[in-house]
């Protein structure tokens, strides 16, 4: 306990400095509250008898200290510490205020609440006097308004023990010095006024206190009136007209308390018993009933506890605020902390009464027991805490939530009761702002991934909604790894509202996606929902697609018209001549037009060079092949008589070697080039198909994977998709499929041939540089299907195709260099 460093008045400071006294508390103005050893507020009573005129008061101060220190009762002022000197005695007690000052504040309140509060106070004083008179066989001797103090809860406490005496003591102070105490005649009994204070020694210990209790009753109900007429000789009995505001139910007992005859006078114990009978003035008082219920709460049955709690809830608004905050609330918190009753019944009352607690005291008074309750395995306690979480979540700090609440709260995700799992999931949105980044981006998402596979459809739906609301708060890399797989799983849910929630989550987190992810991941995962069996899902899917497409259009408007790399390469495709198409036929026609423009320029170049040189005729088959492209329709390719001799044929090998170099002989036939491009695009399409839907049908994450929380999203098997593509199907040429001779089991050409086509083929193979191309693998014309392969075979086949594509590209580049040299 901190010792005295500063005092409240110059006189006391001078006194302490002269005596060298160290007090175990700090003093301020009289009758104020100070800090005790545990930080609680206390009150200090000062007895100063330094003046010669106050020297006789030392005996009363010493008696008060001795009696108060040895008397312990809930309704008696609680003694805490004291310091004695030759001229001063300091007594430290619990924090209290004088009754006389509190009565002034209650005078402006309504009549009924004021009457209830006064009767409740008189009940507490009667209990205290009964204890002093019967078990202690003593007389208080100073029961008046100045001896009663009010605790922070509004309870009345009996103090003023200066005259407290026991007849069996040696020289009791009440019977010897009672007449010398200041103003003692104002509460003296008729027999004392007649025969002195010594007459009380032979009478009942409760006689003097009973008469003083009657005077006190009149004073508190009629503070503006003086003492009743019965207090003065010849002590006439009180009349109804002189009762003032004293309730009629109490008036009869009031008269008996003021009986001039001590033998006929009602004792405090009898007064208490009459008031506590059925429908008595004490038994029917709400505050009295609540206090008795709280005192006996731990001993009551479950039925009695629930009945009391219901009654307490119904009448809670009629209680004084200080009574609910400092009397009812601590008792309920104790019952909640130590299992006095079901938390579902107590917790709402604790939070309701806790609304009157100051912000400084709220964490200590309310939050501490609630946080401890999270460690309880009782499901009723957990549900009560989660149901009322909105009422106290904003008062929790980040450290408390992360270190003390979430470790216990997370057990609810794996609870066998679905109600607990759902309530736990819903509670996260309130606690998420107070979770650390580690918990939010790692631990929590593990649990939510598991919740997306919960058997309960409502839990899966709420989990998707929760992830959507948490999306903007997640880390950058976590967003890229989690959001698309999580929402895509929801869109594939069997529950209609879960699918709608997934679509709405995509829309709500649109700012979390980059434009590349929108085009490559988001829209493809939403598109199939546009043909969902449920109209509600379809409508939401179209809204989502429209939202993302508008965002992409806005971004595309800021992009350049063409790529710098494409312009530098000079592909020959006229960018300014291309136009947007709106139909499938138009798209195919545009695609064929690009190919014709590119290859047609090369053919014109060869013709011009051949005509100028005059040394070699241009192969007529090339002109016919180009005319076939120009006259063909992208969607309906005409049947031509041109055929393609297999590149690996021995005939072509000998022809190519025997003939000399010709202008344009190093050019690849247009149909062959189209076939190569078609094969390359088919490989690209197969690669894209292999990368489509990389998440598969597995769970969103492996909750046991610590090294990479969301690795399951990236390692799930990809479904095989086979997209057959040909040059003719793309509108790039008129290549015809190979036919198979059933006798020789070897590929053969279409029997319908023309001289021009044969001559074209031979002329293109004259160059010796095409030896490698002639021995190209047959996969250029026919490739095995990926759909029938295992995962390892697919990888091998894709690697092989990639290598072949590299060889073909290298061969084309080599031919291009040769043409440039010529």
């Amino acid at each position: 306990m901190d010792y005295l460093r500063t005092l409240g008045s110059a006189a006391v400071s001078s006194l302490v400095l002269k005596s060298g006294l160290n007090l175990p508390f700090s003093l301020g103005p009289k009758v104020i509250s100070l800090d005790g050893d545990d930080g609680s507020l206390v009150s200090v009573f000062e007895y100063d008898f330094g003046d010669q005129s106050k020297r006789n008061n030392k005996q009363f101060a010493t008696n008060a200290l001795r009696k108060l220190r040895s008397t312990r009762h809930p309704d008696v002022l609680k003694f805490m510490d004291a310091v004695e000197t030759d001229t001063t005695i300091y007594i430290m007690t619990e924090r209290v205020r004088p009754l006389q000052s509190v009565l002034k504040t209650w005078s402006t309140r309504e009549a009924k609440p004021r009457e209830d509060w006064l009767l409740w106070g008189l009940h507490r004083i009667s209990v205290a006097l009964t204890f002093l008179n019967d078990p202690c066989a003593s007389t208080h001797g100073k029961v008046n308004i100045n001896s009663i103090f009010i605790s922070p809860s509004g309870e009345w406490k009996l103090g003023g023990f200066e005259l407290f005496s026991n007849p069996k003591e040696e020289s009791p102070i009440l019977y010897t010095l009672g007449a010398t105490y200041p103003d003692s005649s104002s509460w003296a009994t008729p027999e004392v006024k007649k025969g002195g204070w010594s007459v009380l020694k032979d009478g009942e210990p409760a006689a003097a206190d009973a008469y003083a209790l009657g005077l006190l009753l009149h004073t508190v109900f009629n503070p503006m009136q003086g003492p009743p007429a019965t207090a003065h000789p010849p002590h006439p009995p009180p009349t109804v007209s002189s009762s003032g505001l004293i309730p009629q139910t109490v008036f009869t007992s009031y008269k008996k308390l003021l009986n001039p005859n001590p033998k006929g006078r009602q004792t405090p114990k009898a007064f208490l018993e009459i008031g506590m009978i059925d429908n008595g003035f004490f038994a029917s008082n709400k505050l009295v009933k609540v206090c008795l219920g709280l005192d006996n709460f731990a001993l009551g049955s479950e039925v009695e506890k629930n009945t009391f709690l219901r009654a307490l809830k119904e009448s809670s608004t009629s209680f004084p605020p200080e009574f609910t905050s400092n009397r009812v609330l601590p008792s309920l918190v104790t019952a909640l902390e130590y299992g006095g009753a079901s938390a579902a019944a107590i917790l709402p009352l604790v939070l309701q009464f806790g609304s009157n607690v100051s912000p400084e005291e709220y964490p200590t008074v309310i939050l501490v027991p609630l946080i401890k309750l999270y460690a309880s395995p009782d499901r009723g306690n957990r549900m009560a805490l989660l149901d009322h979480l909105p009422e106290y979540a904003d008062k929790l700090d980040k450290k408390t939530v992360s270190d003390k609440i979430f470790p216990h709260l997370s057990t609810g995700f794996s609870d066998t009761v679905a109600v607990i799992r759902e309530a736990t999931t819903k509670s996260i949105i309130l606690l998420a702002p107070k979770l650390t980044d580690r918990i939010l981006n790692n631990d929590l998402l593990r649990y939510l991934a598991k919740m997306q596979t919960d058997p309960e459809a409502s839990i899966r739906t709420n989990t998707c909604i929760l992830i959507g609301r948490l999306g903007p708060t997640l880390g950058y890399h976590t967003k890229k790894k989690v959001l698309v797989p999580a929402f895509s799983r929801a869109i594939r849910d069997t529950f209609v509202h879960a699918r709608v929630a997934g679509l709405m989550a995509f829309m709500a987190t649109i700012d979390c996606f980059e434009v590349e992810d929108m085009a490559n991941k988001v829209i493809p995962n939403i598109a199939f929902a546009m043909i969902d069996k449920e109209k509600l899902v379809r409508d939401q899917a179209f809204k989502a697609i429209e939202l993302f497409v508008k965002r992409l259009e806005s971004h595309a408007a800021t992009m350049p018209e063409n790529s710098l790399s494409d312009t530098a390469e000079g592909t020959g495709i006229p960018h300014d001549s291309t136009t947007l198409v709106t139909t499938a036929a138009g798209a195919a026609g545009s695609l064929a037009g690009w190919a014709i423009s590119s290859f047609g320029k090369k053919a014109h170049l060869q013709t011009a060079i051949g005509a100028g040189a005059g040394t070699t005729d241009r192969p007529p088959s090339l002109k016919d092949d180009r005319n076939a492209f120009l006259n063909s329709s992208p969607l309906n390719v005409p049947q031509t008589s041109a055929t393609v001799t297999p590149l690996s044929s021995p005939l072509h090998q000998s022809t190519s070697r025997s003939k000399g170099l010709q202008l344009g002989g190093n050019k690849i036939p247009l149909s062959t080039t189209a076939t190569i491009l078609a094969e390359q695009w088919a490989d690209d399409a197969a690669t894209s198909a292999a990368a489509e839907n990389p998440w598969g049908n597995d769970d969103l994450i492996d909750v046991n994977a610590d090294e990479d929380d969301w690795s399951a999203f990236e390692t799930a098997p990809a479904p095989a998709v086979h997209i057959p593509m040909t040059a003719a199907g793309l509108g790039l040429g008129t290549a015809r499929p190979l036919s198979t001779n059933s006798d020789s089991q070897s590929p053969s050409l279409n029997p319908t041939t023309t001289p021009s086509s044969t001559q074209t083929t031979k002329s293109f193979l004259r160059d010796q540089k095409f030896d490698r191309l002639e021995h190209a693998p047959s996969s250029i014309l026919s490739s095995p299907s990926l759909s029938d392969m295992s995962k390892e075979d697919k990888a091998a086949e894709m690697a092989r195709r990639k290598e072949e594509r590299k060889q073909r590209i290298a061969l084309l580049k080599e031919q291009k260099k040769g043409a440039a040299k010529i």
Side-chain angles (χ1 to χ4, degrees):
M1 181 181 298
D2 293 336
Y3 285 89
L4 177 65
R5 291 295 178 267
T6 57
L7 299 179
S9 66
V12 177
S13 177
S14 176
L15 172 66
V16 173
L17 290 176
K18 288 180 181 179
S19 61
L21 174 66
N22 285 330
L23 297 179
F25 40 79
S26 300
L27 288 179
K30 292 183 179 180
V31 197
I32 69 164
S33 299
L34 306 169
D35 288 339
D37 57 348
D38 58 351
S40 60
L41 297 176
V42 298
S43 295
V44 176
F45 295 84
E46 176 188 3
Y47 293 91
D48 183 11
F49 38 86
D51 295 341
Q52 188 63 33
S53 60
K54 300 179 181 179
R55 182 63 61 180
N56 294 332
N57 294 340
K58 183 176 182 178
Q59 299 182 56
F60 299 116
T62 302
N63 186 71
L65 174 59
R66 183 166 57 89
K67 295 297 183 180
L68 192 62
R69 178 180 288 171
S70 60
T71 305
R72 296 289 181 177
H73 190 271
D75 297 307
V76 173
L77 191 62
K78 182 181 179 181
F79 171 84
M80 300 183 67
D81 206 344
V83 174
E84 297 182 69
T85 66
D86 293 338
T87 58
T88 309
I89 294 179
Y90 298 102
I91 301 176
M92 183 173 69
T93 68
E94 61 181 312
R95 181 190 179 189
V96 290
R97 292 181 297 166
L99 172 62
Q100 193 167 13
S101 63
V102 178
L103 281 177
K104 296 178 182 179
T105 62
W106 275 91
S107 61
T108 58
R109 301 193 183 184
E110 296 181 0
K112 182 59 178 175
R114 178 175 178 271
E115 179 183 314
D116 290 340
W117 182 74
L118 292 175
L119 285 176
W120 173 52
L122 291 172
H123 172 265
R124 309 310 300 178
I125 298 301
S126 300
V127 172
L129 290 175
T130 300
F131 170 74
L132 297 179
N133 298 152
D134 283 356
C136 298
S138 304
T139 302
H140 183 275
K142 188 192 168 184
V143 180
N144 61 17
I145 195 172
N146 295 321
S147 298
I148 300 174
F149 302 90
I150 307 300
S151 69
S153 62
E155 295 177 283
W156 293 24
K157 301 290 184 177
L158 181 61
F161 277 50
E162 293 84 356
L163 298 176
F164 184 83
S165 300
N166 189 319
K168 298 179 181 181
E169 293 178 349
E170 183 179 353
S171 63
I173 193 173
L174 175 64
Y175 311 127
T176 57
L177 300 176
T180 62
Y181 191 85
D183 202 25
S184 59
S185 61
S186 62
W187 62 83
T189 62
E191 61 270 21
V192 169
K193 292 180 179 180
K194 185 177 180 180
W197 289 92
S198 59
V199 301
L200 296 177
K201 187 173 184 178
D202 298 330
E204 289 289 331
D209 292 340
Y211 191 85
L213 180 61
L215 296 178
L216 176 66
L217 192 152
H218 178 273
T219 302
V220 297
F221 276 103
N222 304 290
M224 306 304 296
Q225 298 181 11
T230 189
H232 306 285
H235 307 290
T239 61
V240 176
S241 59
S242 64
S243 63
L245 298 177
I246 298 175
Q248 293 299 317
T249 55
V250 185
F251 183 74
T252 303
S253 296
Y254 165 68
K255 288 174 60 177
K256 293 180 180 180
L257 289 172
L258 296 179
N259 192 331
N261 184 3
K263 294 183 179 180
R265 190 176 299 154
Q266 190 178 76
T267 63
K269 181 180 179 180
F271 177 70
L272 179 63
E273 291 175 348
I274 292 174
M276 290 304 296
I277 62 176
D278 293 341
N279 298 323
F281 48 82
F282 286 151
S284 60
N285 185 276
K286 292 187 297 183
L287 298 177
V288 173
K289 290 192 292 185
V290 169
C291 289
L292 292 175
L294 293 174
D295 294 339
N296 301 320
F297 188 81
L299 303 177
S301 63
E302 290 297 324
V303 176
E304 293 174 342
K305 291 178 181 179
N306 293 331
T307 302
F308 170 73
L309 292 175
R310 280 197 302 270
L312 185 63
K313 184 177 182 179
E314 293 172 357
S315 58
S316 60
T317 56
S318 62
F319 297 147
E322 62 273 14
F323 175 73
T324 57
S325 300
N326 299 285
R327 179 65 177 93
V328 179
L329 185 58
S331 300
L332 293 177
V333 169
T334 302
L336 182 66
E337 187 173 1
Y338 296 101
S342 174
I346 298 180
L347 188 60
L349 292 175
V350 170
L351 296 174
Q352 179 181 349
F353 295 143
S355 60
N356 297 324
V357 179
S358 63
E360 296 78 12
E361 298 178 350
Y362 195 92
T364 304
V365 177
I366 304 298
L367 296 183
V368 170
L370 294 187
I371 294 170
K372 291 181 180 178
L373 201 61
Y374 273 95
S376 172
D378 185 82
R379 289 191 174 96
N381 294 349
R382 179 62 60 85
M383 280 302 302
L385 290 170
L386 297 180
D387 287 342
H388 296 88
L389 182 61
E391 300 180 33
Y392 63 89
D394 58 331
K395 300 178 178 64
L396 296 170
D397 59 85
K398 191 169 185 177
K399 181 175 178 59
T400 300
V401 174
S402 299
D403 298 345
K404 297 182 179 180
I405 293 181
F406 186 78
H408 300 295
L409 179 66
S410 59
T411 60
F413 289 114
S414 57
D415 199 284
T416 56
V417 178
V419 178
I420 298 293
R421 299 198 303 272
E422 185 170 9
T424 303
T425 304
K426 291 180 179 179
S427 67
I428 294 299
I429 194 62
L430 298 173
L431 299 178
K434 302 178 185 296
L435 295 175
T436 62
D437 292 339
R438 161 69 185 177
I439 294 177
L440 186 62
N441 292 278
N442 191 347
D443 300 342
L444 176 60
L445 294 180
R446 293 170 179 263
Y447 293 115
L448 295 184
K450 182 179 179 181
M451 290 296 99
Q452 277 208 301
T453 62
D454 195 274
E456 294 293 330
S458 60
I459 296 179
R460 299 195 302 271
T461 304
N462 287 324
T463 301
C464 179
I465 295 173
L466 174 60
I467 297 175
R469 298 183 65 177
L470 294 178
T473 64
L474 298 177
Y476 173 77
H477 296 289
T478 305
K479 292 177 185 177
K480 293 182 70 68
K481 292 174 63 176
V482 174
L483 296 185
V484 173
F487 300 155
S488 298
R489 173 178 283 276
I491 297 176
R492 291 173 172 82
D493 199 286
T494 57
F495 187 53
V496 175
H497 297 285
R499 301 200 294 273
V500 174
L503 294 169
M504 296 180 67
F506 266 125
M507 298 173 67
T509 56
I510 186 173
D511 294 329
C512 300
F513 303 108
E514 297 179 353
V515 289
E516 292 81 3
D517 292 336
M518 292 183 191
N520 299 330
K521 297 180 180 180
V522 177
I523 292 181
N525 280 284
I526 296 177
F528 70 91
M530 293 189 293
I531 56 171
D532 193 273
K533 295 181 180 179
E534 296 292 337
K535 185 177 185 300
L536 182 64
V537 179
R538 295 195 300 271
D539 294 344
Q540 193 64 49
F542 278 105
K543 292 179 182 178
I545 289 291
E546 181 181 3
L547 179 65
F548 280 96
V549 169
K550 287 183 178 178
R551 179 65 62 90
L552 293 178
E553 288 177 346
S554 300
H555 176 75
T558 64
M559 298 176 65
E561 293 185 2
N562 51 358
S563 174
L564 295 178
S565 59
D566 292 343
T567 306
E569 291 178 2
T571 57
I573 299 177
H575 293 281
D576 53 349
S577 63
T578 59
T579 57
L580 296 178
V581 294
T582 58
T583 63
S590 298
L591 185 61
W594 292 346
I596 292 169
S597 175
S598 177
F599 294 115
K601 283 188 177 182
K602 295 181 181 180
H604 281 296
L605 178 60
Q606 292 176 351
T607 304
I609 294 174
T615 59
T616 305
D617 293 335
R618 183 169 180 264
S621 61
L622 181 59
K623 181 177 180 180
D624 297 338
D625 197 10
R626 180 175 178 273
N627 291 333
F629 272 109
L630 295 175
N631 297 327
S632 64
S633 172
L635 298 181
N636 186 16
V637 180
Q639 302 294 332
T640 64
S641 60
T643 59
V644 180
T645 304
L647 297 180
S648 59
S649 172
L651 176 61
H652 288 272
Q653 294 180 11
S654 60
T655 306
S656 177
R657 292 188 180 95
S658 61
K659 294 192 176 183
L661 293 177
Q662 294 183 3
L663 184 62
N666 59 342
K667 300 296 182 178
I668 301 176
L670 187 58
S671 57
T672 305
T673 305
T675 303
I676 294 174
L677 287 177
E679 180 65 24
Q680 181 176 347
W681 289 353
D683 291 343
D684 293 341
T687 304
S688 300
E692 185 180 357
N693 191 20
W695 314 117
N697 298 319
D698 296 338
D699 291 343
L700 284 182
I701 61 172
D702 180 7
V703 296
N704 297 317
D706 289 328
E707 63 278 5
D708 189 358
D709 301 333
W710 295 91
S711 60
F713 286 115
E714 300 177 347
T715 59
V721 179
H722 176 61
I723 305 178
M725 301 179 67
T726 62
L730 291 172
L732 294 177
T734 58
R736 305 222 7 121
L738 297 176
S739 61
T740 303
N741 191 325
S742 59
D743 297 334
S744 61
Q745 299 297 325
S746 61
S748 61
L749 299 176
N750 192 317
T752 305
T753 60
T754 61
S756 60
S757 61
T758 305
Q759 182 180 358
T760 302
T761 306
K762 291 181 180 180
S763 63
F764 272 92
L765 295 178
R766 287 175 180 175
D767 196 337
Q768 297 297 327
K769 296 180 181 180
F770 278 87
D771 290 344
R772 285 172 291 179
L773 180 61
E774 294 170 0
H775 298 281
S778 59
S779 60
I780 295 179
L781 300 177
S782 177
S783 299
S785 174
L786 294 177
S787 59
D788 299 331
M789 295 184 180
S790 63
K791 185 176 182 181
E792 292 76 9
D793 294 340
K794 289 178 183 177
E797 176 65 18
M798 295 304 299
R800 185 186 65 78
R801 292 186 183 183
K802 184 176 180 181
E803 184 63 26
E804 291 179 358
R805 186 166 64 253
K806 288 181 179 179
Q807 295 177 3
R808 292 194 297 271
I809 294 175
L811 185 59
L812 291 175
K813 289 182 178 180
E814 185 177 355
Q815 300 306 320
K816 185 176 181 180
K817 291 180 181 178
K821 291 179 181 180
I822 295 174

